[in-house]
Amino acid sequence: MKITVLKNILDANLQTAERNQRLLESHDILAINIMASPGAGKTSLILKTIEGLGKEVAIGVIEGDIASTVDADRISQAGVPVVQINTGGGCHLDANMVANALDTMDLKKMDLLFIENVGNLVCPAGFKLGEQKRVVLASIPEGDDKPHKYPSMFSQTEAIVINKTDLLPYLEFDMEDFKGTVNSLNHGVKLFEVSAKTGGGFDAWLSWLKEEISLLRK
Ligand SMILES: Nc1nc2c(ncn2[C@@H]2O[C@H](COP(=O)(O)OP(=O)(O)O)[C@@H](O)[C@H]2O)c(=O)[nH]1
Ligand SMILES: [Mg+2]
Ligand SMILES: [Zn+2]
């Protein structure tokens, strides 16, 4: 019985996610669901991307957190429209929360929407939000073994961004091992090595975003 209930919840979520996706596509908006553990650098990645792309691409942000507007305040200071979702204890975003946020946003003036999920490497993977792309962020201090421990997160994503590469000289992180593991889980997944602190590696990441935005318009 319990399994049936869970399936219904996921089915309902999928239907709402498909509605969100159609709405976003009708406005030619590239929506990216960013998932990672707390502190991996999701907000920092978004802020550095705004710095690099904000003049040529209209960016919007949905921030998902259990509580507070700390992240939305940081995005707002960068002059970008942002909606904060507080899940009130919930450990992931779902499609309905995103639908409510989209209702309040001016989609006509947007090319790229970042949805920062709640920091968590487990259940966000199970809830589609209506995004075109999923991006999982991993960071050097978390260690190179995370894809072994959280395989569904790393196997259901279009791109993996490895952040905090500026810390590589100080920590043990076997990049080749990490890449081998994610490739065995998710063959051909896009990989970006960046530092949201120094901006290192951002050229490839920004080019990919621009390419995906133009593909969507074709
Ligand atoms: N050294 C270093 N620190 C970073 C980098 N990116 C983020 N941080 C720091 O990591 C902490 C968490 O970053 P934040 O963007 O809030 O992570 P989030 O919880 O995933 O949104 C902050 O103290 C950031 O300054 C990076 O590339 N290098
Ligand atoms: Mg954040
Ligand atoms: Zn959850």
Side-chain angles (χ1 to χ4, degrees), residues 158-175:
E158 278 82 25
I160 296 171
V161 177
I162 307 161
N163 187 34
K164 309 198 188 184
T165 52
D166 58 290
L167 298 177
L168 275 168
Y170 314 106
L171 296 162
E172 273 164 41
F173 185 99
D174 188 333
M175 189 63 85

Side-chain angles (χ1 to χ4, degrees), residues 50-122:
I50 292 169
E51 222 179 283
L53 224 53
K55 286 201 178 73
E56 45 185 311
V57 172
I59 301 175
V61 180
I62 295 174
E63 282 293 339
D65 280 296
I66 289 173
S68 89
T69 59
V70 172
D71 281 356
D73 292 343
R74 288 165 71 194
I75 302 291
S76 181
Q77 272 165 25
V80 161
V82 57
V83 176
Q84 177 82 52
I85 297 171
N86 279 155
T87 62
C91 46
H92 57 267
L93 291 181
D94 65 35
N96 205 37
M97 297 173 191
V98 171
N100 289 337
L102 290 176
D103 268 351
T104 71
M105 299 184 97
D106 187 355
L107 301 181
K108 288 191 193 76
K109 289 184 187 151
M110 206 183 288
D111 306 310
L112 173 62
L113 173 68
F114 286 116
I115 306 168
E116 178 176 337
N117 218 311
V118 179
N120 174 354
L121 282 178
V122 189

